[in-house]
Amino acid sequence: MTTTPPDPSGPDDVPFAPAGRYEVDTLAADAREAADGTAVRLAGRVMLWRAMGGIAFGQLQDQSGRIQFSLRKNDLGPEQFKAWAKSLALGDFVGVRGELWTTDKGEKTVAVAELTLLNKARRPMPDKWAGVADVDLKYRKRYLDLLVNDESRHRFHVRTQVIRTIRRYLDDHGFVEVETPILQAAASGAAARPFSTHHNALDRDFFLRISPETYLKRVVAGGFDRVYEIGRNFRNEGIDSSHLQEFTMLEWYAAYWDYRDNIRFVRELIQATLDEVLGTRTVTFGGQTFDFDGVWPELDYRDEVRRVTGIDLHEIRDVDRLKAAVKDHGLQGDKELADQVSYAGLVDLIYKKTLRPGLVQPTVLMHHPVEMVPLARRSDDDPTRLDMFQVVVNGWEIVKAYSELVDPVDQRARLEEQTELRAAGDDETMMMEDDFIECMEHGMPPMSGLGLGIDRFVALITDAPTLRDVVLFPTLRE
RNA sequence: GCCUCCGUAGCCAAGUGGUCAAGGCAGCGGACUUUUAAUCCGAAGACCGUGGGUUCGAAUCCCACCGGGGGCACCA
């Protein structure tokens, strides 16, 4: 009992109506583990097809992997066998029903009793050995990349496992998942150029969020003590192997925690995620090995800048003296120097040029100068620095976190400084948000929040050289 | 935005001034009853990204444009 094979005249001119549904009871990966003689029904794509005179072998691929299937002339009769041998093509979707057996070469195989053509592929598959090598094609036709490239398929499976594991971990620790606006009247929570758009019904411009930060704090002010959001942020900046214009960020906020609680918590979260997804806390990336086990070293931001550059940020507190110091130490070209109008911008530039590339193993870099982040809390024992840290791996920042500023007086003053810097020509300042300060005036519990770049983390643990390899459809020109 | 490299058939890929632009996979015709990128035989498939130019002659050299990679700048 086999459906009639189509006219074997080639994939492009075969009239064929796709089937409606097919009853599947086994996945390829499970079938490979099942005992000979087990009756199975599977469906998937034909990825290999070798028809000989009296027997034919193919490989069927479904979401779980591949399994071989066989057709025999003796079982089907010569006409049926020949018709299938000539008509079945790579890329076709088939349903197979039959019993499992193991070939002489030890390959688990479905002996097909019934073969059903579910749909034809009207265009050819990529080269079955070389796969999709052209990176342009790989991103534009990701479906082909996923079909033929095991490495790509694996990365996206890891990505979903990472997100699922993180979500479960946070849920288990009393966090509540929430959603906050992507269309925001003021792009806040980070220093970055936003995308802007127009809301027709309200007849006003909006920004795509660069961060959910101030909205998540509003939720905490509303009594949700532990909240998190996993979602897309957008930053209208350059694209490279560690930056995408839309990227996925995990942010959480916990009332009554400080940044020290988050140093511990994020380490335990990452280690638990690695245990669950990879089964190891050591990952290989670009030939290097990153060890996430144990307690990660903690380095003081200003001490490290001084160690690497000789510039003492404890002592140098204003932009003019800092520019002079940079020049004295021969660090920068004049143009980049002149472009920086703010202390924070220049400090950040120095850090990115000199210190960050050297932070390869998981490192906690902490106590940034107070000018760096207007939403973070000053340290009680040193008001020139922040209760803040970043986790850097491979020179990539994968975590940024701090004790939150919940004092509306200090908050207003810090954002006003930002406005002044903007007027002076710094276009990466944070926007004033009166509504947010008003929320703070109503009262906000002490809290600490944290952001983790999901794309970067997944890229690091799947040895993906660029973030485009862990995003299904990266932005390209048309 | 700037610099630089790349674009040859559905896919992979040789060819860097000179007879009809290699080869492989897929597809087409044929052989083959245990293949593992099956093998073997046969036929076919390319206005060499697009448009100009140089030259007796251009896939090859030059210019512009389109698309992509890498680097710089900007950012997490």
Side-chain angles (χ1 to χ4, degrees), chain A residues 80-356:
Chain A
Q80 286 272 305
F81 179 82
K82 183 163 189 179
W84 278 118
K86 290 172 67 66
S87 68
L88 202 62
L90 300 189
D92 286 352
F93 286 89
V94 294
V96 299
R97 182 181 65 74
E99 290 189 0
L100 293 170
W101 63 294
T102 302
T103 66
D104 295 346
K105 306 284 173 59
E107 178 106 12
K108 188 71 75 173
T109 303
V110 183
V112 174
E114 180 187 68
L115 183 64
T116 308
L117 185 65
L118 302 174
N119 202 3
K120 292 291 294 179
R122 305 300 175 123
R123 293 175 186 265
M125 293 287 286
D127 189 284
K128 66 186 176 188
W129 182 244
V132 178
D134 180 352
V135 292
D136 186 25
L137 195 65
K138 175 172 153 167
Y139 298 142
R140 289 186 195 278
K141 298 196 173 187
R142 179 71 86 181
Y143 46 91
L144 296 180
D145 176 49
L146 292 172
L147 280 173
V148 301
N149 189 335
D150 293 338
E151 189 181 41
S152 281
R153 197 165 48 246
H154 174 253
R155 287 197 180 109
F156 289 103
H157 274 124
V158 167
R159 184 181 175 109
T160 69
Q161 287 169 10
V162 163
I163 292 173
R164 188 195 314 143
T165 303
I166 287 174
R167 197 167 252 140
R168 189 185 307 132
Y169 193 92
L170 290 168
D171 292 343
D172 289 347
H173 286 78
F175 284 81
V176 176
E177 183 169 12
V178 299
E179 293 175 280
T180 63
I182 288 174
L183 291 175
Q184 300 182 349
S188 70
R193 266 188 285 173
F195 287 91
S196 58
T197 187
H198 186 75
H199 191 306
N200 287 343
L202 298 179
D203 189 25
R204 61 170 301 179
D205 290 333
F206 275 83
F207 299 101
L208 272 58
R209 72 172 172 201
I210 56 176
S211 157
E213 174 157 349
T214 64
Y215 283 94
L216 288 171
K217 287 179 181 170
R218 287 171 170 94
V219 180
V220 176
F224 286 72
D225 288 340
R226 295 185 187 182
V227 298
Y228 73 97
E229 179 166 11
I230 297 173
R232 217 70 69 87
N233 290 344
F234 306 84
R235 296 185 186 178
N236 206 345
E237 310 278 0
I239 190 166
D240 66 30
S241 59
S242 63
H243 297 86
L244 296 174
Q245 275 62 72
E246 54 179 297
F247 62 101
T248 300
M249 182 94 124
L250 161 67
E251 285 207 13
W252 72 65
Y253 291 82
Y256 316 117
W257 283 14
D258 69 6
Y259 72 114
R260 281 267 164 213
D261 294 303
N262 263 329
I263 291 176
R264 179 187 50 79
F265 189 76
V266 73
R267 177 171 53 77
E268 291 170 353
L269 167 69
I270 285 174
Q271 289 172 344
T273 302
L274 292 173
D275 291 346
E276 172 76 20
V277 176
L278 299 184
T280 173
R281 295 179 180 183
T282 303
V283 305
T284 302
F285 181 92
Q288 301 177 90
T289 300
F290 301 137
D291 184 4
F292 286 89
D293 198 19
V295 175
W296 308 331
E298 296 181 357
L299 302 176
D300 181 89
Y301 189 96
R302 293 178 296 187
D303 289 350
E304 287 303 302
V305 169
R306 183 173 54 198
R307 182 179 64 78
V308 172
T309 68
I311 295 172
D312 188 353
L313 296 174
H314 297 278
E315 206 253 323
I316 298 173
R317 304 287 313 151
D318 66 87
V319 66
D320 293 331
R321 285 185 62 207
L322 185 54
K323 278 189 183 180
V326 167
K327 205 165 280 181
D328 289 345
H329 289 81
L331 290 175
Q332 292 298 321
D334 286 347
K335 183 185 177 303
E336 286 170 357
L337 266 179
D339 287 349
Q340 291 302 323
V341 300
S342 70
Y343 181 78
L346 192 48
V347 169
D348 197 44
L349 190 63
I350 293 167
Y351 155 70
K352 283 168 180 167
K353 290 290 185 186
T354 63
L355 175 55
R356 193 173 71 184

Side-chain angles (χ1 to χ4, degrees), chain A residues 36-54:
Chain A
D36 284 0
T38 308
V40 293
R41 298 177 62 98
L42 302 96
R45 279 214 197 229
V46 177
M47 297 303 285
L48 284 175
W49 180 237
R50 297 182 271 266
M52 284 157 279

